[in-house]
Amino acid sequence: MARRICAIVIQNELREVRLMELKYVLINQKYPVKLMEDGIRKTTDLNIQQLRQSTQKNAECKIIPFVTTYDPRTTNVFNVAKENLSILFQSEGLKECVKKI
């Protein structure tokens, strides 16, 4: 998120304000302070051209993240993933990824 702010906001003063707002939002969400500060520092070290340059993604399918809504009543996430596995086979691209795993 810091990278996106720095890529969009050109004025240094406004950029600093937006980064501090981001930091306070993430602190309220219990993100580790050092992690945020390191990310912001690394982002501010890059120039605007580097920030706006798109990066090439690896075409190989190595990791399929499983994202689900947190529910404290769900004690076994593996079963939830297993129940949703059939969704992956509906897409040819995802089907190929699952076969490689």
Side-chain angles (χ1 to χ4, degrees):
M1 289 184 272
R3 184 180 178 106
R4 188 163 290 180
I5 289 170
C6 290
I8 295 171
V9 181
I10 297 172
Q11 298 173 332
N12 288 333
E13 299 85 20
L14 184 57
R15 182 184 304 150
E16 291 300 319
V17 169
R18 296 296 179 244
L19 289 172
M20 286 301 109
E21 291 172 349
L22 172 64
K23 186 175 176 180
Y24 291 127
V25 167
L26 295 177
I27 286 173
N28 287 336
Q29 296 294 324
K30 308 295 185 220
Y31 278 77
V33 174
K34 182 164 177 18
L35 179 70
M36 289 183 295
E37 290 173 347
D38 288 346
I40 290 172
R41 182 185 42 77
K42 287 178 184 178
T43 300
T44 54
D45 288 345
L46 299 173
N47 65 40
I48 196 85
Q49 288 79 20
Q50 291 171 314
L51 292 168
R52 290 182 176 176
Q53 185 176 9
S54 62
T55 57
Q56 294 293 326
K57 305 253 177 175
N58 188 352
E60 286 188 33
C61 208
K62 294 183 181 177
I63 297 174
I64 301 174
F66 177 73
V67 179
T68 184
T69 305
Y70 173 73
D71 184 351
R73 297 171 295 177
T74 304
T75 57
N76 192 347
V77 177
F78 177 76
N79 286 339
V80 174
K82 190 174 176 183
E83 290 170 7
N84 290 290
L85 193 60
S86 63
I87 294 170
L88 297 177
F89 290 101
Q90 294 175 1
S91 162
E92 287 301 317
L94 290 175
K95 191 185 297 185
E96 289 300 315
C97 290
V98 173
K99 284 181 185 178
K100 291 178 183 178
I101 298 175

PDB file of all heavy atoms in Angstrom, residues 28-48:
ATOM      1  N   ASN A  28      -3.639   0.395  14.065  1.00  0.00           N
ATOM      2  CA  ASN A  28      -4.945   0.067  14.661  1.00  0.00           C
ATOM      3  C   ASN A  28      -5.387  -1.344  14.310  1.00  0.00           C
ATOM      4  O   ASN A  28      -6.167  -1.958  15.037  1.00  0.00           O
ATOM      5  CB  ASN A  28      -6.006   1.072  14.221  1.00  0.00           C
ATOM      6  CG  ASN A  28      -5.820   2.411  14.889  1.00  0.00           C
ATOM      7  OD1 ASN A  28      -5.223   2.505  15.954  1.00  0.00           O
ATOM      8  ND2 ASN A  28      -6.322   3.456  14.253  1.00  0.00           N
ATOM      9  N   GLN A  29      -4.872  -1.868  13.196  1.00  0.00           N
ATOM     10  CA  GLN A  29      -5.188  -3.238  12.787  1.00  0.00           C
ATOM     11  C   GLN A  29      -4.187  -4.250  13.353  1.00  0.00           C
ATOM     12  O   GLN A  29      -4.184  -5.411  12.973  1.00  0.00           O
ATOM     13  CB  GLN A  29      -5.213  -3.339  11.259  1.00  0.00           C
ATOM     14  CG  GLN A  29      -6.301  -2.513  10.621  1.00  0.00           C
ATOM     15  CD  GLN A  29      -7.683  -3.004  10.976  1.00  0.00           C
ATOM     16  OE1 GLN A  29      -7.917  -4.201  11.096  1.00  0.00           O
ATOM     17  NE2 GLN A  29      -8.606  -2.073  11.163  1.00  0.00           N
ATOM     18  N   LYS A  30      -3.295  -3.767  14.228  1.00  0.00           N
ATOM     19  CA  LYS A  30      -2.321  -4.603  14.952  1.00  0.00           C
ATOM     20  C   LYS A  30      -1.203  -5.152  14.064  1.00  0.00           C
ATOM     21  O   LYS A  30      -0.647  -6.214  14.325  1.00  0.00           O
ATOM     22  CB  LYS A  30      -3.002  -5.767  15.678  1.00  0.00           C
ATOM     23  CG  LYS A  30      -4.154  -5.362  16.568  1.00  0.00           C
ATOM     24  CD  LYS A  30      -3.692  -4.512  17.708  1.00  0.00           C
ATOM     25  CE  LYS A  30      -4.865  -4.247  18.640  1.00  0.00           C
ATOM     26  NZ  LYS A  30      -4.926  -2.926  19.148  1.00  0.00           N
ATOM     27  N   TYR A  31      -0.851  -4.425  12.987  1.00  0.00           N
ATOM     28  CA  TYR A  31       0.305  -4.813  12.180  1.00  0.00           C
ATOM     29  C   TYR A  31       1.579  -4.495  12.957  1.00  0.00           C
ATOM     30  O   TYR A  31       1.621  -3.514  13.706  1.00  0.00           O
ATOM     31  CB  TYR A  31       0.320  -4.052  10.853  1.00  0.00           C
ATOM     32  CG  TYR A  31      -0.562  -4.656   9.800  1.00  0.00           C
ATOM     33  CD1 TYR A  31      -1.943  -4.474   9.835  1.00  0.00           C
ATOM     34  CD2 TYR A  31      -0.032  -5.408   8.775  1.00  0.00           C
ATOM     35  CE1 TYR A  31      -2.756  -5.025   8.870  1.00  0.00           C
ATOM     36  CE2 TYR A  31      -0.832  -5.966   7.802  1.00  0.00           C
ATOM     37  CZ  TYR A  31      -2.196  -5.764   7.862  1.00  0.00           C
ATOM     38  OH  TYR A  31      -3.001  -6.321   6.904  1.00  0.00           O
ATOM     39  N   PRO A  32       2.629  -5.286  12.790  1.00  0.00           N
ATOM     40  CA  PRO A  32       3.896  -5.008  13.483  1.00  0.00           C
ATOM     41  C   PRO A  32       4.491  -3.684  13.001  1.00  0.00           C
ATOM     42  O   PRO A  32       4.623  -3.448  11.796  1.00  0.00           O
ATOM     43  CB  PRO A  32       4.798  -6.180  13.082  1.00  0.00           C
ATOM     44  CG  PRO A  32       3.878  -7.242  12.587  1.00  0.00           C
ATOM     45  CD  PRO A  32       2.678  -6.548  12.053  1.00  0.00           C
ATOM     46  N   VAL A  33       4.852  -2.809  13.946  1.00  0.00           N
ATOM     47  CA  VAL A  33       5.340  -1.473  13.626  1.00  0.00           C
ATOM     48  C   VAL A  33       6.627  -1.542  12.804  1.00  0.00           C
ATOM     49  O   VAL A  33       6.782  -0.824  11.809  1.00  0.00           O
ATOM     50  CB  VAL A  33       5.545  -0.648  14.917  1.00  0.00           C
ATOM     51  CG1 VAL A  33       6.188   0.694  14.609  1.00  0.00           C
ATOM     52  CG2 VAL A  33       4.221  -0.455  15.634  1.00  0.00           C
ATOM     53  N   LYS A  34       7.546  -2.411  13.185  1.00  0.00           N
ATOM     54  CA  LYS A  34       8.818  -2.505  12.462  1.00  0.00           C
ATOM     55  C   LYS A  34       8.597  -2.930  11.013  1.00  0.00           C
ATOM     56  O   LYS A  34       9.240  -2.409  10.103  1.00  0.00           O
ATOM     57  CB  LYS A  34       9.771  -3.470  13.153  1.00  0.00           C
ATOM     58  CG  LYS A  34      11.129  -3.563  12.464  1.00  0.00           C
ATOM     59  CD  LYS A  34      12.157  -4.191  13.329  1.00  0.00           C
ATOM     60  CE  LYS A  34      13.492  -4.397  12.715  1.00  0.00           C
ATOM     61  NZ  LYS A  34      13.850  -3.669  11.545  1.00  0.00           N
ATOM     62  N   LEU A  35       7.686  -3.837  10.789  1.00  0.00           N
ATOM     63  CA  LEU A  35       7.367  -4.287   9.439  1.00  0.00           C
ATOM     64  C   LEU A  35       6.863  -3.126   8.583  1.00  0.00           C
ATOM     65  O   LEU A  35       7.294  -2.935   7.446  1.00  0.00           O
ATOM     66  CB  LEU A  35       6.323  -5.405   9.486  1.00  0.00           C
ATOM     67  CG  LEU A  35       5.870  -5.971   8.153  1.00  0.00           C
ATOM     68  CD1 LEU A  35       6.998  -6.763   7.511  1.00  0.00           C
ATOM     69  CD2 LEU A  35       4.650  -6.846   8.347  1.00  0.00           C
ATOM     70  N   MET A  36       5.968  -2.321   9.156  1.00  0.00           N
ATOM     71  CA  MET A  36       5.435  -1.167   8.429  1.00  0.00           C
ATOM     72  C   MET A  36       6.528  -0.146   8.138  1.00  0.00           C
ATOM     73  O   MET A  36       6.643   0.360   7.024  1.00  0.00           O
ATOM     74  CB  MET A  36       4.331  -0.493   9.240  1.00  0.00           C
ATOM     75  CG  MET A  36       3.067  -1.284   9.329  1.00  0.00           C
ATOM     76  SD  MET A  36       1.815  -0.385  10.231  1.00  0.00           S
ATOM     77  CE  MET A  36       2.543  -0.288  11.849  1.00  0.00           C
ATOM     78  N   GLU A  37       7.328   0.152   9.143  1.00  0.00           N
ATOM     79  CA  GLU A  37       8.383   1.151   8.970  1.00  0.00           C
ATOM     80  C   GLU A  37       9.403   0.699   7.925  1.00  0.00           C
ATOM     81  O   GLU A  37       9.856   1.506   7.113  1.00  0.00           O
ATOM     82  CB  GLU A  37       9.057   1.449  10.303  1.00  0.00           C
ATOM     83  CG  GLU A  37       8.154   2.212  11.247  1.00  0.00           C
ATOM     84  CD  GLU A  37       8.736   2.382  12.640  1.00  0.00           C
ATOM     85  OE1 GLU A  37       9.729   1.707  12.971  1.00  0.00           O
ATOM     86  OE2 GLU A  37       8.180   3.189  13.400  1.00  0.00           O
ATOM     87  N   ASP A  38       9.756  -0.575   7.933  1.00  0.00           N
ATOM     88  CA  ASP A  38      10.690  -1.098   6.927  1.00  0.00           C
ATOM     89  C   ASP A  38      10.094  -1.000   5.527  1.00  0.00           C
ATOM     90  O   ASP A  38      10.776  -0.621   4.572  1.00  0.00           O
ATOM     91  CB  ASP A  38      11.067  -2.549   7.231  1.00  0.00           C
ATOM     92  CG  ASP A  38      11.981  -2.693   8.431  1.00  0.00           C
ATOM     93  OD1 ASP A  38      12.535  -1.655   8.878  1.00  0.00           O
ATOM     94  OD2 ASP A  38      12.137  -3.824   8.926  1.00  0.00           O
ATOM     95  N   GLY A  39       8.836  -1.337   5.390  1.00  0.00           N
ATOM     96  CA  GLY A  39       8.169  -1.265   4.091  1.00  0.00           C
ATOM     97  C   GLY A  39       8.083   0.157   3.572  1.00  0.00           C
ATOM     98  O   GLY A  39       8.342   0.419   2.389  1.00  0.00           O
ATOM     99  N   ILE A  40       7.749   1.079   4.452  1.00  0.00           N
ATOM    100  CA  ILE A  40       7.668   2.485   4.060  1.00  0.00           C
ATOM    101  C   ILE A  40       9.050   3.005   3.699  1.00  0.00           C
ATOM    102  O   ILE A  40       9.226   3.706   2.701  1.00  0.00           O
ATOM    103  CB  ILE A  40       7.005   3.318   5.181  1.00  0.00           C
ATOM    104  CG1 ILE A  40       5.522   2.966   5.269  1.00  0.00           C
ATOM    105  CG2 ILE A  40       7.205   4.812   4.929  1.00  0.00           C
ATOM    106  CD1 ILE A  40       4.801   3.577   6.453  1.00  0.00           C
ATOM    107  N   ARG A  41      10.053   2.634   4.475  1.00  0.00           N
ATOM    108  CA  ARG A  41      11.422   3.091   4.193  1.00  0.00           C
ATOM    109  C   ARG A  41      11.900   2.566   2.841  1.00  0.00           C
ATOM    110  O   ARG A  41      12.451   3.304   2.033  1.00  0.00           O
ATOM    111  CB  ARG A  41      12.384   2.641   5.293  1.00  0.00           C
ATOM    112  CG  ARG A  41      13.825   3.113   5.083  1.00  0.00           C
ATOM    113  CD  ARG A  41      14.782   2.549   6.113  1.00  0.00           C
ATOM    114  NE  ARG A  41      14.597   1.141   6.433  1.00  0.00           N
ATOM    115  CZ  ARG A  41      14.984   0.123   5.666  1.00  0.00           C
ATOM    116  NH1 ARG A  41      15.567   0.348   4.514  1.00  0.00           N
ATOM    117  NH2 ARG A  41      14.787  -1.123   6.048  1.00  0.00           N
ATOM    118  N   LYS A  42      11.678   1.283   2.583  1.00  0.00           N
ATOM    119  CA  LYS A  42      12.093   0.702   1.302  1.00  0.00           C
ATOM    120  C   LYS A  42      11.380   1.370   0.131  1.00  0.00           C
ATOM    121  O   LYS A  42      11.968   1.597  -0.925  1.00  0.00           O
ATOM    122  CB  LYS A  42      11.818  -0.801   1.278  1.00  0.00           C
ATOM    123  CG  LYS A  42      12.756  -1.606   2.133  1.00  0.00           C
ATOM    124  CD  LYS A  42      12.401  -3.076   2.093  1.00  0.00           C
ATOM    125  CE  LYS A  42      13.278  -3.883   3.037  1.00  0.00           C
ATOM    126  NZ  LYS A  42      12.899  -5.303   3.041  1.00  0.00           N
ATOM    127  N   THR A  43      10.120   1.674   0.321  1.00  0.00           N
ATOM    128  CA  THR A  43       9.344   2.316  -0.735  1.00  0.00           C
ATOM    129  C   THR A  43       9.822   3.736  -0.988  1.00  0.00           C
ATOM    130  O   THR A  43       9.949   4.149  -2.141  1.00  0.00           O
ATOM    131  CB  THR A  43       7.853   2.319  -0.368  1.00  0.00           C
ATOM    132  OG1 THR A  43       7.423   0.970  -0.210  1.00  0.00           O
ATOM    133  CG2 THR A  43       7.021   2.981  -1.439  1.00  0.00           C
ATOM    134  N   THR A  44      10.093   4.485   0.064  1.00  0.00           N
ATOM    135  CA  THR A  44      10.521   5.872  -0.120  1.00  0.00           C
ATOM    136  C   THR A  44      11.938   5.960  -0.671  1.00  0.00           C
ATOM    137  O   THR A  44      12.328   7.011  -1.178  1.00  0.00           O
ATOM    138  CB  THR A  44      10.419   6.668   1.199  1.00  0.00           C
ATOM    139  OG1 THR A  44      11.134   5.981   2.230  1.00  0.00           O
ATOM    140  CG2 THR A  44       8.971   6.849   1.617  1.00  0.00           C
ATOM    141  N   ASP A  45      12.703   4.877  -0.609  1.00  0.00           N
ATOM    142  CA  ASP A  45      14.050   4.859  -1.191  1.00  0.00           C
ATOM    143  C   ASP A  45      14.010   4.752  -2.717  1.00  0.00           C
ATOM    144  O   ASP A  45      15.000   5.037  -3.385  1.00  0.00           O
ATOM    145  CB  ASP A  45      14.884   3.700  -0.627  1.00  0.00           C
ATOM    146  CG  ASP A  45      15.304   3.934   0.812  1.00  0.00           C
ATOM    147  OD1 ASP A  45      15.200   5.087   1.284  1.00  0.00           O
ATOM    148  OD2 ASP A  45      15.732   2.959   1.464  1.00  0.00           O
ATOM    149  N   LEU A  46      12.880   4.324  -3.280  1.00  0.00           N
ATOM    150  CA  LEU A  46      12.750   4.164  -4.730  1.00  0.00           C
ATOM    151  C   LEU A  46      12.300   5.470  -5.369  1.00  0.00           C
ATOM    152  O   LEU A  46      11.547   6.236  -4.766  1.00  0.00           O
ATOM    153  CB  LEU A  46      11.731   3.065  -5.050  1.00  0.00           C
ATOM    154  CG  LEU A  46      12.049   1.677  -4.525  1.00  0.00           C
ATOM    155  CD1 LEU A  46      10.865   0.749  -4.765  1.00  0.00           C
ATOM    156  CD2 LEU A  46      13.303   1.121  -5.163  1.00  0.00           C
ATOM    157  N   ASN A  47      12.754   5.707  -6.601  1.00  0.00           N
ATOM    158  CA  ASN A  47      12.287   6.903  -7.294  1.00  0.00           C
ATOM    159  C   ASN A  47      10.959   6.616  -7.986  1.00  0.00           C
ATOM    160  O   ASN A  47      10.532   5.467  -8.096  1.00  0.00           O
ATOM    161  CB  ASN A  47      13.345   7.444  -8.274  1.00  0.00           C
ATOM    162  CG  ASN A  47      13.635   6.485  -9.410  1.00  0.00           C
ATOM    163  OD1 ASN A  47      12.731   5.859  -9.948  1.00  0.00           O
ATOM    164  ND2 ASN A  47      14.897   6.362  -9.776  1.00  0.00           N
ATOM    165  N   ILE A  48      10.310   7.656  -8.465  1.00  0.00           N
ATOM    166  CA  ILE A  48       8.967   7.532  -9.020  1.00  0.00           C
ATOM    167  C   ILE A  48       8.923   6.612 -10.242  1.00  0.00           C
ATOM    168  O   ILE A  48       7.957   5.888 -10.438  1.00  0.00           O
ATOM    169  CB  ILE A  48       8.378   8.934  -9.335  1.00  0.00           C
ATOM    170  CG1 ILE A  48       6.864   8.854  -9.537  1.00  0.00           C
ATOM    171  CG2 ILE A  48       9.014   9.558 -10.549  1.00  0.00           C
ATOM    172  CD1 ILE A  48       6.099   8.912  -8.276  1.00  0.00           C
TER     173      ILE A  48
END
